[in-house]
Amino acid sequence: MSKEMFTIDQGVRQGGAFSADLYKIYINPLLNILSTSGLGGRVGNINCCAPTCADDVALVSNNPLELQTMINIALDFSKREGYLLQPTKSVIIPVKTCRKFYEIEDGFWKLNGKNMPIVSNASHIGIQKSDKNSAESTVNENIKKARRAMYSLMGTGLHGENGLDSKTSIALIRTYILPILTYGLEILLPKGKILK
């Protein structure tokens, strides 16, 4: 099987060493616009309306009208820069600390003239967010991903009797499975007593 080279005419190469940094340069003007708009969430006097990792942006606000304005800003920026926002990943997730959001019906927020769905679960930078129990959703999703990764490694010999030796198996589990299981768990708060 021959490998043919092809040119990249738009965007950055998936998994490239400089792709994340190049994308940060590209998206930074949008983040500056949102940050200086005075809209959205704040921690003290610090505006934190758009937590972002690469192309995964979450718009945060406890005011429904401000949120729609921020959506419009992101949409205008995408049109000006010539990229499309993914309608299937562009969703509204209300949080239980904000009563205003629960009083609003489907169809309030719009993206490109179409209603944005209000969902109970969504993912941001691989961490599950939920209107009820984000920690439980994250743990369940991590277990699913780790199970899939484990099954995919079984073909390489990561299984019982006549597979890889135990030292190699443990190294594979530590390298590929444990990081998946523990990703995002720093958001968890322990309940009950912590054993010493």
Side-chain angles (χ1 to χ4, degrees), residues 42-63:
R42 306 181 79 73
V43 175
N45 62 354
I46 300 169
N47 187 304
C48 53
C49 64
T52 303
C53 182
D55 65 340
D56 202 351
V57 179
L59 300 177
V60 178
S61 178
N62 64 359
N63 183 322

Side-chain angles (χ1 to χ4, degrees), residues 81-99:
E81 294 297 321
Y83 66 88
L84 299 173
L85 298 175
Q86 269 197 3
T88 56
K89 289 188 174 181
S90 300
V91 297
I92 303 294
I93 180 166
V95 292
K96 55 185 165 189
T97 57
C98 186
R99 192 152 193 71

Side-chain angles (χ1 to χ4, degrees), residues 7-195:
T7 59
I8 297 170
D9 298 323
Q10 184 178 5
V12 293
R13 189 167 71 86
Q14 184 75 28
F18 294 112
S19 295
D21 290 331
L22 292 173
Y23 189 80
K24 287 176 196 170
I25 294 168
Y26 178 76
I27 199 68
N28 204 52
L30 170 61
L31 302 178
N32 287 338
I33 292 167
L34 288 168
S35 180
T36 58
S37 70
L39 302 170
R42 306 181 79 73
V43 175
N45 62 354
I46 300 169
N47 187 304
C48 53
C49 64
T52 303
C53 182
D55 65 340
D56 202 351
V57 179
L59 300 177
V60 178
S61 178
N62 64 359
N63 183 322
L65 296 173
E66 279 187 6
L67 182 58
Q68 182 61 58
T69 304
M70 291 165 46
I71 293 167
N72 294 341
I73 290 170
L75 180 63
D76 291 343
F77 185 84
S78 73
K79 287 178 179 177
R80 189 173 66 235
E81 294 297 321
Y83 66 88
L84 299 173
L85 298 175
Q86 269 197 3
T88 56
K89 289 188 174 181
S90 300
V91 297
I92 303 294
I93 180 166
V95 292
K96 55 185 165 189
T97 57
C98 186
R99 192 152 193 71
K100 294 177 195 173
F101 277 62
Y102 283 102
E103 297 164 2
I104 293 177
E105 296 176 16
D106 257 341
F108 181 85
W109 292 280
K110 301 206 179 299
L111 178 67
N112 233 358
K114 296 181 180 170
N115 294 345
M116 292 180 71
I118 298 174
V119 299
S120 59
N121 292 338
S123 178
H124 177 60
I125 61 171
I127 298 172
Q128 295 298 310
K129 302 292 182 201
S130 171
D131 63 352
K132 294 184 178 85
N133 190 344
S134 293
E136 185 177 334
S137 297
T138 298
V139 168
N140 289 337
E141 191 62 28
N142 286 3
I143 290 170
K144 285 182 200 172
K145 288 178 186 175
R147 184 179 295 125
R148 286 193 298 260
M150 188 73 175
Y151 288 147
S152 70
L153 288 171
M154 284 185 175
T156 65
L158 186 64
H159 51 79
E161 293 180 18
N162 42 353
L164 296 169
D165 62 283
S166 60
K167 191 173 184 179
T168 305
S169 295
I170 290 170
L172 283 172
I173 290 170
R174 282 186 178 153
T175 304
Y176 296 106
I177 310 301
L178 286 180
I180 293 170
L181 281 172
T182 58
Y183 182 77
L185 294 184
E186 62 272 6
I187 66 166
L188 298 180
L189 295 173
K191 290 183 178 179
K193 294 180 181 178
I194 299 175
L195 300 175

